[in-house]
Structures are given as C-alpha cells and as structure tokens.
Amino acid sequence: MFRLGAHVSISDGFEAAVEHEVELGGNCGQLFVGSPRGWTISEVDETEANAFRDAADEQDVGLWVIHGTYLINLATPKDDLARKSIDCLQDELDAAATLDIPYYVFHPGAHTGAGEETGIDNVGKRLSDIDVPSGVTLLLENTAGKGTTVGKRLEDLDTMVKTSDYEYGDLGICLDTCHLFAAGYDFTDEAAMGELVDEIDSTVGIENVHYLHLNDSKHPLGSEKDEHEHIGEGKIGEAGFRQFVNHDTLREKPMVLETPKDERGDVWNIEKVTALRTDG
Ligand SMILES: [Zn+2]
Ligand SMILES: [Zn+2]
C-alpha cells in the first residue's frame, strides 16, 4: 500500500497527531519528539505510547518516522557537542522504540572548519556509540550542502555507514528531494531521473533507502540552499515530481511532505502528489 503523509505536530499529544494526519488525508507521517531547535525531548510514557499505537492501528496510519532535532551534530570537531548530540539522538531513538515507530531520521551535521573528510569520519565513528534499538532503523538524511554541512553526496552517506560498526539494516537512508536538487542532483526529466537512480544504486543502494521527503526547492539546481517550496511550485516543478514519485524503484517507498505550512498547507500538497502519481 502506498504511504503518503506530512510532518505533523505533537503539541496536542501523540494520539492527536494521528488524528491530525488523518485530517490532512495522510496515511503515514513524521513527528518531532521534542523542540526541533532544542535539546529537551518530551518524555514518552507507556500510556501515551499505547494510545498512539492504538490510534495509528485503528486509523491505519502506518510507517511513522521521527525526525531528530536540528541541533544534533555528529560531524563536529567539538567533543562536548558530540557527546550532547549522541545522548540526544539516543533519547529520541529510544522514544521511537517506545512508540513502535519503525524509523528515525537525522541530519549528519557540520564539520565547522575541521574539513569535510574529518566531518564524515566523525559521523561514522560516532554512529558506533549509538545503541540502535531492535525494531527501529536509524536513517541518515542527505543534505543540501549548505556551509560546512556534510552528507550532500550520496557516496558520503555511504562512507558514514561503512565507517561505523553498523551495517545497512540497522542503518538506512532517507532522501529529501529539495536537498538532492540543491546538492546538484537533477531529476527533472526521464534521462536525469535514470542517472540519479543509477547513482543511488551504486552508492547507498536503492534497497537501503527507506523513506522519502518530498519538498520542492525555492532555489535552483546546485544552489546548496535549503528552502522548501510547495510541490510543483518551485525549481523542481511538476515534471520533476512526476518522475520522482512514479519511478519504479521509489514509488512504493513511504513519502512525507515538509512543505511550508501557509495557506496552501499539507492538504493541498498531499492532493498535488496524489494527482501526479500515475495511480492517483
Ligand atoms: Zn530533515
Ligand atoms: Zn530541507
């Protein structure tokens, strides 16, 4: 079954987040378990977790993913920030396990002057310090490449995984369309889409991509700028999304939207993607 949804808030609680997703027309979704720009995560107790699980089962909203806080930086040369990042990531991962959420995704971080190779190596080594609970896959998200952030090239994500003591299975990949495009990966016509898929397959492997973030880009190909736009309204455009969401190798993977929450909002974007699907 094809899963498509949007990022939703837990400000009314976990159970209500399921309800919010249903109201948007989604059947999968993404959550933060704390403030996206803070270190504190919301404690998840068993009662809340049970209510969330029951609601998700009842409404058939499946394949949830938790998005890590933006402060996490496993690429950093600073030991104290690395420690804080590992602890926070662990707490959020454990929350995913408590909630029976199968995926957790985070941005690898920034090397802040230590050099790209060092940053990538730092991420790989620090992944080994994390205890990935059974039932949860820890996903590395590709980045737009802004400033000193690492993880813009697919081969760099693959290096991080291979540097760690883990293998694909416990670890996996989440691809963000806006970040791919900003990082210079074109997929706006059939030939380019074919090349991108070959590139994915020869680096991280298509089978290790577990989740897709669908966002159009306000900025052109290779701009390294991370600003999301409504589906079809940005520089990727409808043609690009038609290629991406219908490609044989990707079309069955769960997709969530992180498009602007303005007057268009998530309902509009979910309808848009559905209309672009050949099965929509
Ligand atoms: Zn992200
Ligand atoms: Zn982004």
Side-chain angles (χ1 to χ4, degrees):
M1 182 189 181
F2 174 51
R3 297 277 175 185
L4 170 66
H7 184 101
V8 287
S9 163
I10 58 155
S11 56
D12 302 323
F14 288 98
E15 189 182 359
V18 177
E19 224 37 70
H20 294 328
E21 192 64 61
V22 171
E23 281 159 20
L24 299 175
N27 63 1
C28 70
Q30 180 173 269
L31 309 164
F32 290 122
V33 282
S35 154
R37 301 189 191 277
W39 289 109
T40 45
I41 85 149
S42 319
E43 246 357 281
V44 186
D45 65 43
E46 264 318 313
T47 318
E48 266 183 303
N50 286 334
F52 171 78
R53 249 188 312 252
D54 289 348
D57 279 352
E58 208 167 292
Q59 305 273 14
D60 190 25
V61 185
L63 300 183
W64 286 86
V65 56
I66 288 177
H67 196 300
T69 153
Y70 295 124
L71 297 185
I72 288 173
N73 185 355
L74 297 189
T76 181
K78 296 184 194 127
D79 288 335
D80 53 339
L81 178 56
R83 191 67 255 161
K84 242 176 150 174
S85 296
I86 290 167
D87 291 345
C88 180
L89 198 159
Q90 187 70 56
D91 286 347
E92 294 182 333
L93 251 184
D94 293 343
T98 306
L99 290 159
D100 254 345
I101 289 182
Y103 299 109
Y104 171 87
V105 61
F106 77 105
H107 300 181
H111 67 71
T112 60
E116 202 173 11
E117 214 175 305
T118 305
I120 291 166
D121 195 55
N122 282 343
V123 177
K125 286 178 177 150
R126 286 163 184 159
L127 281 171
S128 306
D129 292 335
I130 289 156
D131 180 17
V132 182
S134 70
V136 184
T137 308
L138 173 55
L139 307 179
L140 287 81
E141 180 173 344
N142 69 303
T143 64
K146 184 173 175 246
T148 65
T149 55
V150 297
K152 125 180 191 177
R153 281 177 298 267
L154 298 172
E155 68 252 40
D156 297 341
L157 298 177
D158 188 51
T159 303
M160 292 169 197
V161 172
K162 298 212 164 118
T163 303
S164 80
D165 295 336
Y166 282 105
E167 288 178 15
Y168 286 111
D170 287 312
L171 304 184
I173 304 296
C174 171
L175 293 179
D176 181 307
T177 51
C178 170
H179 303 175
L180 279 171
F181 193 73
Y185 293 104
D186 189 15
F187 50 91
T188 52
D189 62 44
E190 202 180 336
M193 184 69 211
E195 278 173 41
L196 171 61
V197 167
D198 288 348
E199 179 70 15
I200 296 169
D201 213 26
S202 65
T203 52
V204 296
I206 286 282
E207 70 281 13
N208 299 315
V209 176
H210 294 276
Y211 231 105
L212 304 170
H213 283 167
L214 298 184
N215 303 301
D216 209 327
S217 171
K218 280 197 200 298
H219 302 282
L221 180 69
S223 63
E224 296 189 343
K225 287 189 186 149
D226 180 9
E227 254 192 289
H228 299 180
E229 182 55 282
H230 296 294
I231 302 300
E233 306 280 291
K235 302 292 182 196
I236 297 173
E238 286 190 6
F241 281 97
R242 208 173 275 119
Q243 293 294 333
F244 197 91
V245 303
N246 289 304
H247 197 278
D248 278 351
T249 59
L250 301 177
R251 57 178 299 117
E252 296 303 323
K253 299 188 190 285
M255 306 181 187
V256 287
L257 293 150
E258 300 169 319
T259 39
K261 305 255 185 202
D262 55 20
E263 65 284 344
R264 277 228 163 107
D266 295 316
V267 174
W268 187 92
N269 282 284
I270 287 177
E271 282 172 2
K272 184 78 177 189
V273 173
T274 306
L276 291 171
R277 293 269 295 190
T278 51
D279 57 1

